């Protein structure tokens, strides 16, 4: 038995913010951002919330998969920016979808979140415990960044992306191989602190903390671990990067994608990109770009895809999927 992707969905806030718009607030330029990252515009939440985007993306994916919300047995949401610490975003989503039976939880995996979520769903489906799973990545990173810090605020956008998965008796389709891993030793290169301890017996300084990233460290980590993990997934399947039709990588920086393509001796055309329009939307990144391709009819039955996310933790996750949908 294999777990297979039955549908994709995504949602973005309405407000589009250009590089020039940001340059009005911090010392940056359209030229710097384009050249160093490939990002031109991004969507930033104004009236939207993590839970509203999560619901929109999930509904789109369920509709695309032709699966009823009541039939979902597992809901995994990857987020670090829900408007609630608890209940989980997954529980809020379950209530909004009118689902009564799913196991529901959030995971804290940053930009690798949706591929991690696929790994979890894959295991549950293959164990026979779950028939249909919903995996959503959603982030409102715009509320975590310091809008006075040009090193980070230009990089991110807000959004949500979702997958609906089901069980398939046909082993020649669906998730063929998948891996997820943490690299905690490098975790402090991408952080955001929680609120400080404040009780009658101990009080820490109440310093407002923002997302911190050592960009070069994360860049090097991605360029090393992405090709490594792709090989790790493909080798046991007897496949090589030449056998892959498209590589859906996390859309953090165009230069990472160029470097990975070069290291794997693959043409850049096999690497879809959309960071020019949406920026780095973290856990929503991989499902969003797949959803764009799916809705344009660019995903073809029988084609082999690599899905790869990497980010905070540090974490990374890679899957090889044979597309089943017509
Ligand atoms: N506008 C103008 N100048 C900027 C700038 C901005 N928005 N951000 C940084 N700079 C400046 C820096 O201050 C530095 O100036 P200095 O040399 O005078 O000190 C210079 O540009 C170079 O900065 P650096 O950090 O070395 O740039 P970079 O080429 O490494 O690019 C990133 C920075 C963040 C774009 C890049 O490192 C990156 O994409 N990293 C990976 C991020 C990632 O993959 N995240 C995924 C997980 S979320």
């Amino acid at each position: 038995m294999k777990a297979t992707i039955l549908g994709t969905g995504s949602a973005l806030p309405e407000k589009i913010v250009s590089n020039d718009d940001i340059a009005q607030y911090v010392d940056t330029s359209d030229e710097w951002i384009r050249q160093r990252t490939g990002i031109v515009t991004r969507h930033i939440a104004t009236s939207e919330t993590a839970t509203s985007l999560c619901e929109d993306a999930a509904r789109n994916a369920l509709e695309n998969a032709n699966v009823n919300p009541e039939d979902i047995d597992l809901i995994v949401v990857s987020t670090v920016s829900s408007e609630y610490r608890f209940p989980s975003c997954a529980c809020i989503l379950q209530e909004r979808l009118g689902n009564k039976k799913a196991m529901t939880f959030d995971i804290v995996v940053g930009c690798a979140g949706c591929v991690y979520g696929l790994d979890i769903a894959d295991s549950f489906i293959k164990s026979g415990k779950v028939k249909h799973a919903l995996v959503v990545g959603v982030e409102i990173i715009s509320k975590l960044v310091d809008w006075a810090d040009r090193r980070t605020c230009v990089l991110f956008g807000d959004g949500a992306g979702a997958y609906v998965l089901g069980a398939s008796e046909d082993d020649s389709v669906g998730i063929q191989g998948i891996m997820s891993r943490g690299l905690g030793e490098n975790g402090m290169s991408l952080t955001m602190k929680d609120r400080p301890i404040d009780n009658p017996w101990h009080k820490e300084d109440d310093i407002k903390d923002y997302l911190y990233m050592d960009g070069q460290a994360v860049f090097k980590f991605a360029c090393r671990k992405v090709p490594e993990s792709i090989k790790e997934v493909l080798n046991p399947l007897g496949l090589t990067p030449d056998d892959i039709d498209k590589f859906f990588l996390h859309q953090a920086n165009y230069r990472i994608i160029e470097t990975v393509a070069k290291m794997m001796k693959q043409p850049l055309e096999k690497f879809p990109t959309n960071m020019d329009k949406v920026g780095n939307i973290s856990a929503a990144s991989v499902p969003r770009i797949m959803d764009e391709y799916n809705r344009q009819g660019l995903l073809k039955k029988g084609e082999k895809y690599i899905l790869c996310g990497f980010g905070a933790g540090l974490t990374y996750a890679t899957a090889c999927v044979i597309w089943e949908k017509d």
Side-chain angles (χ1 to χ4, degrees), residues 96-211:
R96 290 189 184 180
L97 294 177
N99 173 287
K100 304 262 184 237
K101 67 170 183 176
M103 177 195 278
T104 49
F105 57 91
D106 290 359
I107 54 174
V108 178
V109 193
C111 307
C114 253
V115 188
Y116 248 73
L118 287 183
D119 199 346
I120 295 165
D122 181 61
S123 300
F124 273 90
I125 287 172
K126 286 203 295 218
S127 77
K129 193 164 183 182
V130 158
K131 206 164 159 224
H132 290 108
L134 177 59
V135 174
V136 189
V138 60
E139 297 297 3
I140 308 284
I141 299 280
S142 63
K143 68 182 190 185
L144 309 185
V145 295
D146 178 357
W147 283 94
D149 176 10
R150 66 179 184 175
R151 291 167 304 164
T152 50
C153 74
V154 304
L155 304 173
F156 296 94
D158 301 329
Y163 297 108
V164 172
L165 291 103
S168 170
E169 295 301 330
D170 179 0
D171 279 353
S172 68
V173 294
I175 298 175
Q176 303 295 305
I178 189 159
M179 62 82 70
S180 305
R181 195 158 298 145
L183 201 66
E185 68 199 64
N186 297 125
M188 289 302 133
S189 48
L190 182 47
T191 63
M192 181 163 169
K193 280 195 181 157
D194 203 345
R195 57 196 281 185
I197 291 179
D198 181 6
N199 62 40
W201 305 277
H202 185 73
K203 184 171 176 57
E204 288 173 357
D205 290 343
D206 190 5
I207 299 166
K208 189 159 192 198
D209 203 65
Y210 294 103
L211 181 149

Side-chain angles (χ1 to χ4, degrees), residues 63-78:
E63 202 181 312
N64 185 241
N66 205 13
V67 169
N68 283 327
E70 310 92 76
D71 293 334
I72 295 291
D73 309 297
L74 170 71
I75 302 176
V76 182
V77 177
S78 177

